Amino acid sequence: MLVMAQLLDGKALAATIRGEIAARVAGRTQAGKRPPGLAAVLVGNDPASQGYVRSKHKACLENGLHSTVHRLPEETTQSQLLDLIEQLNADATVHGILVQLPLPRHIETDAILRAVTPAKDVDCFHPENVGLLTIGFPRFYPCTPHGVVQLLNRYNVPVAGHEVVVVGRSDIVGKPLSIMLMQKPTAHNPAAGDATVTVAHSRTHDLAAVCRRADILIAAVGQAGMITADMVKPGAAVVDVGTNRVGNAWVGDVAPEVATVAGWLSPVPGGVGPMTITMLLYNTVAAAEQIDG
Ligand code: GUN
């Protein structure tokens, strides 16, 4: 008999956590405080980025947060973008600032991300916040890694002491997620995983053998279907962070037949994606609590 993996249903879990967030937001506004506010900045016309920003804006409004979207033309200069960020840094109605990546090539991404005041850096991309995360005193958790950890925890996937293999070493997912999963949990750092973590990447020798060690396999590469069933230990939890456009469909980094080997599997769409947006709302509320009390 073929047993299929249990679904790590990010859509359902995101709805639950958004309910918790909406209740916290309502409590704040009823107490006379400003609603937590997110300002998203989108430069250029990339269709995927436009879609992400629309989804983030909609999720804010549905849960009682204030949200503004600043759409700038492709030819915006770095200094114009820096001026907007300065304005948002000083705006008391804005608690979180999100600059959608990728930026056009004529703009230095590092310079822009460093201009966002760390207290409003809800993506956790500023070097100060990456440093705080790395030493175990996070101001914010980065959204996608935090979404992955929440998915594992709320579906009771055992993490502490287990073998995790993270495939991909990006600054947005692989690197911060591997740090979070290997850290010791403390009162300051409750999402830490206490796991044994291996980070694999494009230069890893015998990737399949490394992946087969994993009790928890995280695919965060951006290559459609690259994790195949022969790379998965039977019963392992497989989290698919990939969002790849193939024709008109979104597909993950994990091939569909992995569902017949894995013990748990997050789908694409409906897995990590809705969790990322949820943890962005979570960070925006946390920023409002830190800034306004
Ligand atoms: N582009 C792809 N992922 C992300 C993300 O998590 N945050 C931002 N700002 N841009 C992205």
Side-chain angles (χ1 to χ4, degrees):
M1 190 183 73
L2 206 55
V3 179
M4 298 295 269
Q6 184 185 344
L7 207 64
L8 297 172
D9 187 341
K11 196 171 167 198
L13 179 56
T16 303
I17 299 178
R18 287 180 200 189
E20 297 163 8
I21 291 170
R24 272 168 66 199
V25 172
R28 292 182 64 76
T29 44
Q30 278 156 22
K33 295 180 176 165
R34 283 183 211 282
L38 178 73
V41 180
L42 174 60
V43 186
N45 306 309
D46 179 65
S49 291
Q50 287 175 331
Y52 293 140
V53 167
R54 246 193 326 270
S55 300
K56 290 167 185 175
H57 178 62
K58 180 164 167 272
C60 282
L61 300 184
E62 283 170 355
N63 293 283
L65 288 83
H66 181 67
S67 174
T68 53
V69 179
H70 299 263
R71 291 184 176 82
L72 304 178
E74 178 80 22
E75 57 276 11
T76 301
T77 65
Q78 181 160 322
S79 113
Q80 287 169 327
L81 185 53
L82 287 170
D83 286 347
L84 172 61
I85 289 170
E86 277 312 309
Q87 197 185 308
L88 297 172
N89 282 344
D91 185 338
T93 68
V94 172
H95 303 94
I97 300 170
L98 177 141
V99 181
Q100 187 64 36
L101 303 181
L103 289 167
R105 286 155 61 120
H106 65 275
I107 293 175
E108 293 167 298
T109 301
D110 285 353
I112 299 303
L113 298 183
R114 283 167 205 203
V116 173
T117 192
K120 297 187 178 184
D121 170 37
V122 286
D123 262 327
C124 197
F125 289 168
H126 190 287
E128 181 178 314
N129 289 331
V130 176
L132 287 170
L133 177 80
T134 303
I135 62 168
F137 288 84
R139 178 185 272 133
F140 301 110
Y141 285 120
C143 302
T144 301
H146 196 196
V148 170
V149 169
Q150 289 289 332
L151 260 183
L152 295 172
N153 289 347
R154 298 228 193 177
Y155 277 91
N156 297 312
V157 176
V159 178
H162 285 74
E163 293 274 350
V164 177
V165 174
V166 179
V167 188
R169 54 181 161 181
S170 70
D171 289 337
I172 295 184
V173 184
K175 195 187 293 176
L177 179 56
S178 61
I179 289 168
M180 288 171 64
L181 287 170
M182 65 93 173
Q183 283 175 325
K184 192 181 180 65
T186 64
H188 301 287
N189 193 11
D194 242 353
T196 304
V197 179
T198 301
V199 181
H201 49 75
S202 52
R203 297 296 300 270
T204 296
H205 291 165
D206 200 350
L207 179 64
V210 172
C211 289
R212 276 194 300 273
R213 295 209 302 255
D215 302 308
I216 301 173
L217 180 61
I218 314 279
V221 175
Q223 223 174 294
M226 66 95 63
I227 300 293
T228 47
D230 61 299
M231 300 166 82
V232 176
K233 182 199 277 191
V238 180
V239 181
D240 191 349
V241 187
T243 44
N244 309 289
R245 195 85 185 162
V246 176
N248 284 328
W250 289 106
V251 303
D253 289 351
V254 176
E257 72 268 16
V258 168
T260 64
V261 179
W264 293 266
L265 177 63
S266 74
V268 177
V272 173
M275 293 301 296
T276 293
I277 297 180
T278 302
M279 301 335 288
L280 173 68
L281 304 187
Y282 179 94
N283 281 352
T284 305
V285 178
E289 289 170 353
Q290 290 169 27
I291 293 168
D292 292 347

